[in-house]
Amino acid sequence: MKNYRCLAVTAFVAAFSAISSVQAQDYPSRLVHLVVPQAAGGGTDTFARAIGQKLSERWGQPVVIENKAGAGGVVGTDFVAKAPADGYMLLVTYEGSQAINQSLYEKLPFDSLKDFYPIATIAVTPFILIVGPRAEAKTLKEFIAFARANPDRLTYGSAGNGSVNHLLGEMLKTEANIRVVHVPYKGASAAIADVIGGHIDAAFASVPSVISSVQSNVVRALAVSSAKRIAVAPDIPTIAEAGFEKFDVNPWWGILAPAGLSPAIAQKISADIAEILKTPEMEQVLAKQGATPLISSSDAFRDLLARDIEKWRKVVKASGATIN
Protein backbone atom coordinates (compact mmCIF):
# COMPACT_ATOMS: atom_id res chain seq x y z
CA MET A 1 0.00 0.00 0.00
CA LYS A 2 2.84 2.32 0.95
CA ASN A 3 4.64 1.63 -2.33
CA TYR A 4 1.43 2.26 -4.22
CA ARG A 5 1.05 5.67 -2.63
CA CYS A 6 4.65 6.57 -3.42
CA LEU A 7 4.12 5.54 -7.03
CA ALA A 8 0.92 7.59 -7.20
CA VAL A 9 2.63 10.68 -5.82
CA THR A 10 5.56 10.24 -8.20
CA ALA A 11 3.19 9.86 -11.15
CA PHE A 12 1.26 12.99 -10.11
CA VAL A 13 4.45 15.05 -9.82
CA ALA A 14 5.65 13.81 -13.20
CA ALA A 15 2.31 14.60 -14.81
CA PHE A 16 2.23 18.08 -13.23
CA SER A 17 5.79 18.78 -14.41
CA ALA A 18 4.90 17.65 -17.93
CA ILE A 19 1.86 19.95 -18.00
CA SER A 20 3.95 22.86 -16.71
CA SER A 21 6.60 22.20 -19.34
CA VAL A 22 3.99 22.24 -22.12
CA GLN A 23 2.50 25.48 -20.75
CA ALA A 24 5.95 27.07 -20.74
CA GLN A 25 6.57 26.02 -24.34
CA ASP A 26 3.32 27.67 -25.42
CA TYR A 27 3.92 30.83 -23.35
CA PRO A 28 3.08 33.50 -24.24
CA SER A 29 0.25 32.87 -26.66
CA ARG A 30 -1.41 36.28 -26.22
CA LEU A 31 -0.90 39.82 -24.95
CA VAL A 32 1.18 40.26 -21.77
CA HIS A 33 0.63 43.14 -19.34
CA LEU A 34 3.55 44.74 -17.48
CA VAL A 35 2.12 46.74 -14.60
CA VAL A 36 4.16 49.68 -13.31
CA PRO A 37 2.98 50.83 -9.86
CA GLN A 38 4.43 54.32 -10.41
CA ALA A 39 3.58 57.23 -12.69
CA ALA A 40 4.89 57.45 -16.25
CA GLY A 41 8.27 59.09 -16.71
CA GLY A 42 9.99 57.64 -13.65
CA GLY A 43 12.76 55.06 -13.45
CA THR A 44 10.43 52.06 -13.17
CA ASP A 45 8.43 53.18 -16.20
CA THR A 46 11.64 53.71 -18.20
CA PHE A 47 12.93 50.21 -17.46
CA ALA A 48 9.52 48.61 -18.07
CA ARG A 49 9.23 50.12 -21.53
CA ALA A 50 12.76 49.14 -22.49
CA ILE A 51 12.45 45.52 -21.37
CA GLY A 52 8.83 45.28 -22.56
CA GLN A 53 9.79 46.18 -26.13
CA LYS A 54 12.52 43.54 -26.20
CA LEU A 55 10.28 40.86 -24.71
CA SER A 56 7.62 41.62 -27.31
CA GLU A 57 10.18 41.22 -30.10
CA ARG A 58 11.46 37.97 -28.60
CA TRP A 59 8.05 36.46 -27.94
CA GLY A 60 6.24 37.67 -31.05
CA GLN A 61 3.40 38.84 -28.84
CA PRO A 62 2.38 42.38 -27.76
CA VAL A 63 3.62 43.51 -24.34
CA VAL A 64 1.63 46.43 -22.93
CA ILE A 65 2.81 48.77 -20.16
CA GLU A 66 0.13 49.80 -17.66
CA ASN A 67 0.84 52.56 -15.14
CA LYS A 68 -1.21 52.03 -11.99
CA ALA A 69 0.22 54.62 -9.62
CA GLY A 70 -1.07 55.40 -6.15
CA ALA A 71 -0.28 55.02 -2.46
CA GLY A 72 3.47 54.77 -2.99
CA GLY A 73 3.15 51.81 -5.33
CA VAL A 74 0.60 49.90 -3.27
CA VAL A 75 -2.29 50.25 -5.77
CA GLY A 76 -0.50 48.71 -8.74
CA THR A 77 1.31 46.11 -6.64
CA ASP A 78 -1.94 44.94 -5.03
CA PHE A 79 -3.58 44.76 -8.47
CA VAL A 80 -0.95 42.27 -9.64
CA ALA A 81 -0.98 40.33 -6.35
CA LYS A 82 -4.66 39.55 -6.94
CA ALA A 83 -4.35 38.79 -10.66
CA PRO A 84 -4.40 35.23 -12.08
CA ALA A 85 -1.01 33.52 -11.73
CA ASP A 86 -0.73 32.64 -15.42
CA GLY A 87 2.18 34.86 -16.48
CA TYR A 88 0.06 37.35 -18.41
CA MET A 89 -0.03 39.99 -15.65
CA LEU A 90 3.45 40.85 -14.38
CA LEU A 91 4.75 43.53 -12.05
CA VAL A 92 7.73 45.74 -12.91
CA THR A 93 8.83 47.38 -9.71
CA TYR A 94 11.85 48.38 -7.69
CA GLU A 95 13.41 47.94 -4.28
CA GLY A 96 11.67 51.02 -2.93
CA SER A 97 8.11 49.78 -3.39
CA GLN A 98 8.54 46.06 -2.88
CA ALA A 99 10.97 46.10 0.05
CA ILE A 100 10.09 49.32 1.89
CA ASN A 101 6.28 49.20 1.85
CA GLN A 102 6.29 45.96 3.83
CA SER A 103 7.41 47.82 6.97
CA LEU A 104 6.06 51.26 6.10
CA TYR A 105 2.34 50.42 5.96
CA GLU A 106 0.63 49.12 9.09
CA LYS A 107 -2.11 47.46 7.01
CA LEU A 108 -0.74 46.35 3.67
CA PRO A 109 -3.25 44.37 1.52
CA PHE A 110 -0.53 41.93 0.44
CA ASP A 111 2.73 40.42 1.62
CA SER A 112 5.63 41.68 -0.48
CA LEU A 113 7.30 38.27 -0.47
CA LYS A 114 4.62 35.61 0.11
CA ASP A 115 2.13 36.96 -2.42
CA PHE A 116 4.62 37.21 -5.29
CA TYR A 117 6.89 35.02 -7.37
CA PRO A 118 10.14 36.98 -7.93
CA ILE A 119 11.07 36.22 -11.54
CA ALA A 120 14.12 38.27 -12.50
CA THR A 121 16.03 41.42 -11.70
CA ILE A 122 16.69 43.94 -14.46
CA ALA A 123 19.20 46.50 -13.25
CA VAL A 124 20.55 48.57 -10.40
CA THR A 125 20.86 52.33 -10.48
CA PRO A 126 21.52 54.98 -7.85
CA PHE A 127 19.68 58.20 -7.06
CA ILE A 128 20.93 61.74 -7.63
CA LEU A 129 20.51 64.64 -5.22
CA ILE A 130 19.43 67.59 -7.37
CA VAL A 131 18.83 71.28 -6.77
CA GLY A 132 17.41 73.97 -9.02
CA PRO A 133 19.62 75.75 -11.56
CA ARG A 134 19.51 78.96 -9.52
CA ALA A 135 20.37 77.33 -6.18
CA GLU A 136 23.27 78.88 -4.30
CA ALA A 137 24.81 75.49 -3.41
CA LYS A 138 27.22 74.28 -6.07
CA THR A 139 28.35 71.21 -4.10
CA LEU A 140 26.94 68.85 -1.49
CA LYS A 141 29.24 70.34 1.14
CA GLU A 142 27.85 73.82 0.40
CA PHE A 143 24.30 72.46 0.61
CA ILE A 144 25.02 70.86 3.99
CA ALA A 145 26.78 73.97 5.30
CA PHE A 146 23.77 76.13 4.41
CA ALA A 147 21.37 73.62 5.97
CA ARG A 148 23.36 73.58 9.21
CA ALA A 149 23.39 77.35 9.39
CA ASN A 150 19.68 77.58 8.53
CA PRO A 151 17.75 74.72 10.21
CA ASP A 152 14.40 73.90 8.54
CA ARG A 153 14.99 76.55 5.88
CA LEU A 154 15.61 74.16 2.99
CA THR A 155 13.02 71.74 1.57
CA TYR A 156 13.40 68.46 -0.30
CA GLY A 157 10.76 66.62 -2.28
CA SER A 158 10.10 62.92 -2.72
CA ALA A 159 7.82 60.48 -4.52
CA GLY A 160 5.84 60.11 -1.27
CA ASN A 161 6.18 59.19 2.38
CA GLY A 162 8.41 56.17 2.80
CA SER A 163 9.69 56.17 -0.78
CA VAL A 164 13.40 55.66 -1.45
CA ASN A 165 13.56 59.38 -2.30
CA HIS A 166 12.16 60.20 1.14
CA LEU A 167 14.32 57.76 3.10
CA LEU A 168 17.46 58.87 1.26
CA GLY A 169 16.74 62.39 2.44
CA GLU A 170 16.27 61.16 6.00
CA MET A 171 19.51 59.17 5.80
CA LEU A 172 21.41 62.25 4.61
CA LYS A 173 19.86 64.36 7.37
CA THR A 174 21.01 61.85 9.96
CA GLU A 175 24.50 61.42 8.53
CA ALA A 176 25.10 65.16 8.05
CA ASN A 177 23.24 66.25 11.19
CA ILE A 178 21.05 68.75 9.35
CA ARG A 179 17.38 69.72 9.47
CA VAL A 180 15.65 69.91 6.08
CA VAL A 181 11.87 69.87 5.59
CA HIS A 182 10.39 66.93 3.67
CA VAL A 183 7.70 67.65 1.05
CA PRO A 184 5.99 64.47 -0.23
CA TYR A 185 4.52 64.28 -3.75
CA LYS A 186 2.47 61.67 -5.59
CA GLY A 187 5.40 60.79 -7.81
CA ALA A 188 9.02 61.67 -8.48
CA SER A 189 8.18 63.59 -11.66
CA ALA A 190 6.14 66.15 -9.72
CA ALA A 191 8.95 66.64 -7.23
CA ILE A 192 11.50 67.13 -10.01
CA ALA A 193 9.21 69.65 -11.71
CA ASP A 194 8.98 71.69 -8.53
CA VAL A 195 12.76 71.64 -8.10
CA ILE A 196 13.04 73.01 -11.63
CA GLY A 197 10.36 75.62 -10.88
CA GLY A 198 12.04 76.69 -7.65
CA HIS A 199 9.10 75.68 -5.45
CA ILE A 200 11.28 73.31 -3.40
CA ASP A 201 15.04 73.34 -2.96
CA ALA A 202 16.11 69.77 -3.62
CA ALA A 203 15.10 66.18 -4.29
CA PHE A 204 16.57 62.72 -4.65
CA ALA A 205 15.59 61.20 -8.01
CA SER A 206 16.58 57.98 -9.76
CA VAL A 207 19.10 58.41 -12.54
CA PRO A 208 16.68 57.39 -15.35
CA SER A 209 14.07 59.91 -14.20
CA VAL A 210 16.41 62.89 -14.00
CA ILE A 211 19.58 62.31 -16.06
CA SER A 212 18.26 64.18 -19.12
CA SER A 213 17.45 67.21 -16.95
CA VAL A 214 20.94 67.07 -15.46
CA GLN A 215 22.63 66.81 -18.86
CA SER A 216 20.60 69.75 -20.22
CA ASN A 217 21.40 71.84 -17.11
CA VAL A 218 17.75 72.13 -16.19
CA VAL A 219 18.75 70.94 -12.71
CA ARG A 220 22.10 70.78 -10.92
CA ALA A 221 23.36 67.45 -9.63
CA LEU A 222 25.14 67.60 -6.27
CA ALA A 223 25.86 63.91 -5.64
CA VAL A 224 24.91 60.30 -6.39
CA SER A 225 23.83 57.84 -3.71
CA SER A 226 25.98 54.89 -4.83
CA ALA A 227 29.46 54.19 -3.47
CA LYS A 228 30.97 54.71 -6.93
CA ARG A 229 30.42 57.39 -9.56
CA ILE A 230 28.26 56.52 -12.56
CA ALA A 231 29.65 56.17 -16.09
CA VAL A 232 26.85 58.20 -17.69
CA ALA A 233 27.79 61.25 -15.57
CA PRO A 234 31.28 60.71 -14.13
CA ASP A 235 31.60 64.35 -13.03
CA ILE A 236 28.93 63.93 -10.35
CA PRO A 237 30.65 63.03 -7.04
CA THR A 238 29.28 60.48 -4.60
CA ILE A 239 27.83 61.32 -1.20
CA ALA A 240 30.61 59.18 0.23
CA GLU A 241 33.19 61.55 -1.24
CA ALA A 242 31.74 64.38 0.86
CA GLY A 243 32.88 62.58 3.99
CA PHE A 244 30.12 60.00 4.51
CA GLU A 245 32.13 56.90 3.62
CA LYS A 246 29.45 54.29 4.35
CA PHE A 247 26.71 55.97 2.29
CA ASP A 248 25.81 53.54 -0.50
CA VAL A 249 22.28 53.14 -1.87
CA ASN A 250 21.96 51.51 -5.30
CA PRO A 251 18.41 50.05 -5.63
CA TRP A 252 17.39 47.22 -7.97
CA TRP A 253 14.53 46.99 -10.45
CA GLY A 254 12.89 43.68 -11.33
CA ILE A 255 9.87 41.68 -12.52
CA LEU A 256 7.54 39.68 -10.28
CA ALA A 257 4.39 37.65 -10.84
CA PRO A 258 1.48 36.68 -8.59
CA ALA A 259 2.34 33.78 -6.27
CA GLY A 260 1.41 30.41 -7.72
CA LEU A 261 2.92 30.96 -11.16
CA SER A 262 4.16 27.79 -12.84
CA PRO A 263 7.92 27.45 -12.13
CA ALA A 264 8.43 26.44 -15.75
CA ILE A 265 6.88 29.69 -17.02
CA ALA A 266 8.83 31.70 -14.44
CA GLN A 267 12.04 30.03 -15.58
CA LYS A 268 11.27 30.81 -19.23
CA ILE A 269 10.62 34.49 -18.51
CA SER A 270 13.74 34.69 -16.34
CA ALA A 271 15.90 33.06 -19.01
CA ASP A 272 14.53 35.35 -21.73
CA ILE A 273 15.18 38.46 -19.63
CA ALA A 274 18.72 37.26 -18.89
CA GLU A 275 19.42 36.82 -22.61
CA ILE A 276 18.05 40.29 -23.35
CA LEU A 277 20.18 41.87 -20.62
CA LYS A 278 23.31 40.28 -22.11
CA THR A 279 22.85 41.97 -25.49
CA PRO A 280 25.09 44.97 -26.25
CA GLU A 281 21.99 46.91 -27.30
CA MET A 282 20.27 46.54 -23.91
CA GLU A 283 23.52 47.20 -22.05
CA GLN A 284 23.79 50.45 -23.99
CA VAL A 285 20.15 51.37 -23.26
CA LEU A 286 20.69 50.83 -19.54
CA ALA A 287 24.05 52.62 -19.54
CA LYS A 288 22.40 55.75 -20.95
CA GLN A 289 20.12 55.64 -17.90
CA GLY A 290 23.04 55.29 -15.51
CA ALA A 291 22.06 51.69 -14.82
CA THR A 292 23.99 48.43 -14.65
CA PRO A 293 22.35 45.15 -15.75
CA LEU A 294 21.60 42.79 -12.86
CA ILE A 295 21.02 39.18 -13.90
CA SER A 296 19.75 36.76 -11.26
CA SER A 297 17.69 33.60 -10.95
CA SER A 298 14.27 33.52 -9.33
CA ASP A 299 15.73 31.97 -6.17
CA ALA A 300 18.51 34.57 -5.96
CA PHE A 301 15.97 37.36 -6.51
CA ARG A 302 13.77 35.97 -3.72
CA ASP A 303 16.74 35.92 -1.32
CA LEU A 304 17.67 39.48 -2.31
CA LEU A 305 14.13 40.71 -1.70
CA ALA A 306 13.98 39.02 1.71
CA ARG A 307 17.27 40.63 2.76
CA ASP A 308 16.21 44.07 1.56
CA ILE A 309 12.89 43.92 3.38
CA GLU A 310 14.84 43.51 6.61
CA LYS A 311 17.42 46.15 5.63
CA TRP A 312 14.81 48.82 4.95
CA ARG A 313 12.76 47.82 7.99
CA LYS A 314 15.59 49.21 10.13
CA VAL A 315 15.79 52.43 8.08
CA VAL A 316 12.01 52.98 8.25
CA LYS A 317 12.04 52.42 12.00
CA ALA A 318 14.90 54.89 12.47
CA SER A 319 13.13 57.49 10.32
CA GLY A 320 9.85 57.14 12.18
CA ALA A 321 7.93 57.09 8.90
CA THR A 322 4.60 55.25 8.97
CA ILE A 323 1.47 55.19 6.81
CA ASN A 324 -1.85 53.88 8.10
Tab-separated table of all heavy atoms in Angstrom, residues 254-296:
chain	number	residue	atom	x	y	z
A	254	GLY	N	13.103	45.060	-10.920
A	254	GLY	CA	12.891	43.682	-11.333
A	254	GLY	C	11.456	43.394	-11.717
A	254	GLY	O	10.585	44.274	-11.687
A	255	ILE	N	11.202	42.135	-12.085
A	255	ILE	CA	9.875	41.684	-12.522
A	255	ILE	C	9.399	40.563	-11.612
A	255	ILE	O	10.133	39.610	-11.341
A	255	ILE	CB	9.907	41.198	-13.981
A	255	ILE	CG1	10.240	42.375	-14.910
A	255	ILE	CG2	8.581	40.571	-14.382
A	255	ILE	CD1	10.271	42.027	-16.383
A	256	LEU	N	8.161	40.693	-11.133
A	256	LEU	CA	7.544	39.681	-10.278
A	256	LEU	C	6.187	39.299	-10.854
A	256	LEU	O	5.583	40.041	-11.638
A	256	LEU	CB	7.365	40.193	-8.843
A	256	LEU	CG	8.624	40.642	-8.092
A	256	LEU	CD1	8.852	42.142	-8.296
A	256	LEU	CD2	8.501	40.351	-6.603
A	257	ALA	N	5.701	38.140	-10.425
A	257	ALA	CA	4.390	37.650	-10.839
A	257	ALA	C	3.578	37.311	-9.598
A	257	ALA	O	4.135	37.204	-8.500
A	257	ALA	CB	4.546	36.416	-11.719
A	258	PRO	N	2.271	37.135	-9.743
A	258	PRO	CA	1.479	36.679	-8.594
A	258	PRO	C	1.986	35.322	-8.116
A	258	PRO	O	2.433	34.495	-8.919
A	258	PRO	CB	0.055	36.572	-9.160
A	258	PRO	CG	0.054	37.488	-10.353
A	258	PRO	CD	1.427	37.388	-10.932
A	259	ALA	N	1.928	35.071	-6.820
A	259	ALA	CA	2.343	33.775	-6.271
A	259	ALA	C	1.510	32.665	-6.896
A	259	ALA	O	0.327	32.849	-7.196
A	259	ALA	CB	2.163	33.774	-4.756
A	260	GLY	N	2.121	31.537	-7.122
A	260	GLY	CA	1.406	30.413	-7.724
A	260	GLY	C	1.720	30.229	-9.192
A	260	GLY	O	1.228	29.287	-9.828
A	261	LEU	N	2.550	31.101	-9.754
A	261	LEU	CA	2.924	30.955	-11.158
A	261	LEU	C	3.678	29.647	-11.365
A	261	LEU	O	4.456	29.219	-10.516
A	261	LEU	CB	3.812	32.132	-11.579
A	261	LEU	CG	4.332	32.118	-13.024
A	261	LEU	CD1	3.185	32.326	-14.007
A	261	LEU	CD2	5.394	33.186	-13.217
A	262	SER	N	3.447	29.006	-12.494
A	262	SER	CA	4.162	27.786	-12.841
A	262	SER	C	5.670	28.057	-12.850
A	262	SER	O	6.135	28.990	-13.524
A	262	SER	CB	3.732	27.295	-14.223
A	262	SER	OG	4.680	26.402	-14.765
A	263	PRO	N	6.465	27.258	-12.125
A	263	PRO	CA	7.919	27.453	-12.127
A	263	PRO	C	8.517	27.381	-13.530
A	263	PRO	O	9.506	28.068	-13.821
A	263	PRO	CB	8.420	26.299	-11.247
A	263	PRO	CG	7.287	26.008	-10.324
A	263	PRO	CD	6.052	26.211	-11.172
A	264	ALA	N	7.920	26.574	-14.390
A	264	ALA	CA	8.435	26.444	-15.754
A	264	ALA	C	8.265	27.752	-16.530
A	264	ALA	O	9.162	28.174	-17.269
A	264	ALA	CB	7.719	25.301	-16.471
A	265	ILE	N	7.110	28.406	-16.353
A	265	ILE	CA	6.881	29.690	-17.016
A	265	ILE	C	7.807	30.751	-16.427
A	265	ILE	O	8.391	31.565	-17.152
A	265	ILE	CB	5.406	30.124	-16.892
A	265	ILE	CG1	4.512	29.188	-17.712
A	265	ILE	CG2	5.222	31.569	-17.360
A	265	ILE	CD1	3.036	29.511	-17.641
A	266	ALA	N	7.938	30.740	-15.103
A	266	ALA	CA	8.834	31.702	-14.444
A	266	ALA	C	10.260	31.545	-14.952
A	266	ALA	O	10.955	32.533	-15.216
A	266	ALA	CB	8.787	31.505	-12.929
A	267	GLN	N	10.683	30.295	-15.094
A	267	GLN	CA	12.042	30.029	-15.575
A	267	GLN	C	12.223	30.521	-17.012
A	267	GLN	O	13.278	31.057	-17.363
A	267	GLN	CB	12.345	28.543	-15.485
A	267	GLN	CG	13.782	28.185	-15.843
A	267	GLN	CD	14.089	26.709	-15.640
A	267	GLN	OE1	13.206	25.924	-15.317
A	267	GLN	NE2	15.347	26.337	-15.834
A	268	LYS	N	11.192	30.350	-17.833
A	268	LYS	CA	11.266	30.805	-19.230
A	268	LYS	C	11.399	32.323	-19.287
A	268	LYS	O	12.253	32.856	-20.015
A	268	LYS	CB	10.022	30.371	-20.006
A	268	LYS	CG	9.963	30.961	-21.419
A	268	LYS	CD	8.747	30.510	-22.181
A	268	LYS	CE	8.601	31.252	-23.500
A	268	LYS	NZ	9.810	31.211	-24.331
A	269	ILE	N	10.558	33.023	-18.519
A	269	ILE	CA	10.615	34.490	-18.514
A	269	ILE	C	11.981	34.956	-18.003
A	269	ILE	O	12.604	35.854	-18.570
A	269	ILE	CB	9.496	35.087	-17.639
A	269	ILE	CG1	8.119	34.666	-18.163
A	269	ILE	CG2	9.597	36.618	-17.613
A	269	ILE	CD1	6.966	35.066	-17.259
A	270	SER	N	12.446	34.327	-16.924
A	270	SER	CA	13.738	34.693	-16.336
A	270	SER	C	14.878	34.495	-17.328
A	270	SER	O	15.761	35.356	-17.479
A	270	SER	CB	13.998	33.855	-15.074
A	270	SER	OG	15.237	34.180	-14.481
A	271	ALA	N	14.853	33.357	-18.031
A	271	ALA	CA	15.903	33.061	-19.012
A	271	ALA	C	15.867	34.054	-20.170
A	271	ALA	O	16.919	34.507	-20.646
A	271	ALA	CB	15.743	31.637	-19.525
A	272	ASP	N	14.663	34.403	-20.618
A	272	ASP	CA	14.533	35.349	-21.732
A	272	ASP	C	15.037	36.729	-21.327
A	272	ASP	O	15.718	37.411	-22.110
A	272	ASP	CB	13.071	35.432	-22.192
A	272	ASP	CG	12.630	34.197	-22.960
A	272	ASP	OD1	13.511	33.451	-23.439
A	272	ASP	OD2	11.407	33.965	-23.081
A	273	ILE	N	14.717	37.155	-20.110
A	273	ILE	CA	15.183	38.460	-19.630
A	273	ILE	C	16.708	38.462	-19.510
A	273	ILE	O	17.371	39.438	-19.878
A	273	ILE	CB	14.531	38.808	-18.281
A	273	ILE	CG1	13.032	39.078	-18.481
A	273	ILE	CG2	15.202	40.018	-17.631
A	273	ILE	CD1	12.266	39.279	-17.203
A	274	ALA	N	17.268	37.362	-19.018
A	274	ALA	CA	18.723	37.261	-18.887
A	274	ALA	C	19.404	37.400	-20.247
A	274	ALA	O	20.423	38.098	-20.380
A	274	ALA	CB	19.102	35.931	-18.240
A	275	GLU	N	18.839	36.741	-21.266
A	275	GLU	CA	19.420	36.824	-22.611
A	275	GLU	C	19.337	38.246	-23.150
A	275	GLU	O	20.266	38.740	-23.807
A	275	GLU	CB	18.701	35.845	-23.546
A	275	GLU	CG	19.001	34.384	-23.263
A	275	GLU	CD	20.486	34.064	-23.364
A	275	GLU	OE1	21.127	34.535	-24.340
A	275	GLU	OE2	21.019	33.378	-22.476
A	276	ILE	N	18.220	38.911	-22.884
A	276	ILE	CA	18.048	40.293	-23.352
A	276	ILE	C	19.058	41.215	-22.671
A	276	ILE	O	19.666	42.075	-23.306
A	276	ILE	CB	16.605	40.782	-23.058
A	276	ILE	CG1	15.612	40.062	-23.981
A	276	ILE	CG2	16.496	42.298	-23.237
A	276	ILE	CD1	14.164	40.303	-23.633
A	277	LEU	N	19.266	41.021	-21.375
A	277	LEU	CA	20.178	41.874	-20.624
A	277	LEU	C	21.637	41.686	-21.052
A	277	LEU	O	22.471	42.568	-20.829
A	277	LEU	CB	20.043	41.610	-19.117
A	277	LEU	CG	18.726	42.025	-18.478
A	277	LEU	CD1	18.687	41.607	-17.011
A	277	LEU	CD2	18.512	43.532	-18.599
A	278	LYS	N	21.941	40.549	-21.662
A	278	LYS	CA	23.314	40.278	-22.110
A	278	LYS	C	23.629	40.917	-23.457
A	278	LYS	O	24.796	40.982	-23.848
A	278	LYS	CB	23.538	38.759	-22.215
A	278	LYS	CG	23.540	38.033	-20.882
A	278	LYS	CD	23.660	36.520	-21.104
A	278	LYS	CE	23.558	35.760	-19.798
A	278	LYS	NZ	23.590	34.282	-20.023
A	279	THR	N	22.617	41.397	-24.164
A	279	THR	CA	22.848	41.967	-25.486
A	279	THR	C	23.499	43.343	-25.363
A	279	THR	O	23.158	44.132	-24.474
A	279	THR	CB	21.531	42.104	-26.268
A	279	THR	OG1	20.665	43.024	-25.584
A	279	THR	CG2	20.835	40.762	-26.406
A	280	PRO	N	24.438	43.650	-26.260
A	280	PRO	CA	25.090	44.969	-26.249
A	280	PRO	C	24.076	46.115	-26.359
A	280	PRO	O	24.265	47.178	-25.758
A	280	PRO	CB	26.007	44.918	-27.472
A	280	PRO	CG	26.285	43.458	-27.665
A	280	PRO	CD	25.005	42.770	-27.295
A	281	GLU	N	22.996	45.878	-27.112
A	281	GLU	CA	21.986	46.914	-27.295
A	281	GLU	C	21.321	47.277	-25.970
A	281	GLU	O	21.170	48.460	-25.639
A	281	GLU	CB	20.925	46.442	-28.287
A	281	GLU	CG	19.873	47.505	-28.585
A	281	GLU	CD	18.828	47.012	-29.570
A	281	GLU	OE1	18.942	45.867	-30.046
A	281	GLU	OE2	17.894	47.783	-29.861
A	282	MET	N	20.924	46.260	-25.177
A	282	MET	CA	20.274	46.540	-23.908
A	282	MET	C	21.269	47.123	-22.900
A	282	MET	O	20.910	48.000	-22.105
A	282	MET	CB	19.623	45.270	-23.351
A	282	MET	CG	18.881	45.484	-22.024
A	282	MET	SD	17.637	46.821	-22.067
A	282	MET	CE	16.394	46.104	-23.147
A	283	GLU	N	22.504	46.635	-22.941
A	283	GLU	CA	23.522	47.196	-22.053
A	283	GLU	C	23.703	48.684	-22.328
A	283	GLU	O	23.868	49.487	-21.409
A	283	GLU	CB	24.852	46.462	-22.247
A	283	GLU	CG	24.856	45.046	-21.669
A	283	GLU	CD	26.197	44.355	-21.872
A	283	GLU	OE1	27.057	44.931	-22.571
A	283	GLU	OE2	26.388	43.256	-21.322
A	284	GLN	N	23.646	49.051	-23.616
A	284	GLN	CA	23.786	50.455	-23.992
A	284	GLN	C	22.575	51.264	-23.547
A	284	GLN	O	22.722	52.396	-23.063
A	284	GLN	CB	23.967	50.573	-25.510
A	284	GLN	CG	24.262	51.984	-25.990
A	284	GLN	CD	24.544	52.037	-27.485
A	284	GLN	OE1	24.308	51.074	-28.200
A	284	GLN	NE2	25.041	53.170	-27.963
A	285	VAL	N	21.383	50.685	-23.695
A	285	VAL	CA	20.154	51.365	-23.262
A	285	VAL	C	20.209	51.654	-21.768
A	285	VAL	O	19.904	52.767	-21.313
A	285	VAL	CB	18.910	50.506	-23.588
A	285	VAL	CG1	17.674	51.066	-22.887
A	285	VAL	CG2	18.673	50.458	-25.091
A	286	LEU	N	20.613	50.654	-20.984
A	286	LEU	CA	20.688	50.827	-19.539
A	286	LEU	C	21.793	51.801	-19.156
A	286	LEU	O	21.629	52.609	-18.240
A	286	LEU	CB	20.924	49.470	-18.870
A	286	LEU	CG	19.776	48.460	-18.988
A	286	LEU	CD1	20.172	47.137	-18.338
A	286	LEU	CD2	18.506	48.996	-18.353
A	287	ALA	N	22.928	51.727	-19.853
A	287	ALA	CA	24.050	52.618	-19.537
A	287	ALA	C	23.663	54.081	-19.710
A	287	ALA	O	24.078	54.941	-18.923
A	287	ALA	CB	25.244	52.278	-20.430
A	288	LYS	N	22.847	54.372	-20.725
A	288	LYS	CA	22.398	55.748	-20.945
A	288	LYS	C	21.526	56.239	-19.795
A	288	LYS	O	21.373	57.449	-19.594
A	288	LYS	CB	21.613	55.837	-22.260
A	288	LYS	CG	22.485	55.730	-23.510
A	288	LYS	CD	21.650	55.864	-24.764
A	288	LYS	CE	22.531	55.778	-26.009
A	288	LYS	NZ	21.724	55.882	-27.259
A	289	GLN	N	20.955	55.304	-19.055
A	289	GLN	CA	20.123	55.639	-17.902
A	289	GLN	C	20.915	55.584	-16.596
A	289	GLN	O	20.346	55.708	-15.517
A	289	GLN	CB	18.931	54.671	-17.818
A	289	GLN	CG	18.059	54.625	-19.048
A	289	GLN	CD	17.404	55.957	-19.361
A	289	GLN	OE1	17.132	56.752	-18.464
A	289	GLN	NE2	17.154	56.232	-20.633
A	290	GLY	N	22.215	55.373	-16.710
A	290	GLY	CA	23.042	55.286	-15.510
A	290	GLY	C	22.846	53.993	-14.765
A	290	GLY	O	23.128	53.896	-13.567
A	291	ALA	N	22.371	52.971	-15.466
A	291	ALA	CA	22.061	51.692	-14.824
A	291	ALA	C	23.036	50.602	-15.241
A	291	ALA	O	23.638	50.651	-16.315
A	291	ALA	CB	20.635	51.257	-15.185
A	292	THR	N	23.161	49.603	-14.389
A	292	THR	CA	23.991	48.434	-14.648
A	292	THR	C	23.103	47.203	-14.675
A	292	THR	O	22.294	47.012	-13.767
A	292	THR	CB	25.052	48.257	-13.546
A	292	THR	OG1	25.846	49.445	-13.460
A	292	THR	CG2	25.954	47.068	-13.848
A	293	PRO	N	23.190	46.350	-15.710
A	293	PRO	CA	22.354	45.147	-15.746
A	293	PRO	C	22.580	44.273	-14.515
A	293	PRO	O	23.708	44.143	-14.035
A	293	PRO	CB	22.839	44.428	-17.017
A	293	PRO	CG	23.438	45.493	-17.853
A	293	PRO	CD	24.067	46.450	-16.890
A	294	LEU	N	21.514	43.699	-14.005
A	294	LEU	CA	21.604	42.786	-12.864
A	294	LEU	C	20.857	41.513	-13.230
A	294	LEU	O	19.625	41.483	-13.274
A	294	LEU	CB	20.988	43.418	-11.606
A	294	LEU	CG	20.992	42.544	-10.343
A	294	LEU	CD1	22.422	42.220	-9.927
A	294	LEU	CD2	20.246	43.234	-9.203
A	295	ILE	N	21.602	40.456	-13.510
A	295	ILE	CA	21.022	39.178	-13.905
A	295	ILE	C	21.006	38.237	-12.702
A	295	ILE	O	22.041	38.028	-12.065
A	295	ILE	CB	21.816	38.542	-15.053
A	295	ILE	CG1	21.778	39.463	-16.280
A	295	ILE	CG2	21.260	37.170	-15.408
A	295	ILE	CD1	22.664	38.995	-17.428
A	296	SER	N	19.843	37.689	-12.394
A	296	SER	CA	19.748	36.758	-11.263
A	296	SER	C	18.627	35.762	-11.504
A	296	SER	O	17.679	36.042	-12.245
A	296	SER	CB	19.503	37.509	-9.956
A	296	SER	OG	18.239	38.154	-9.979
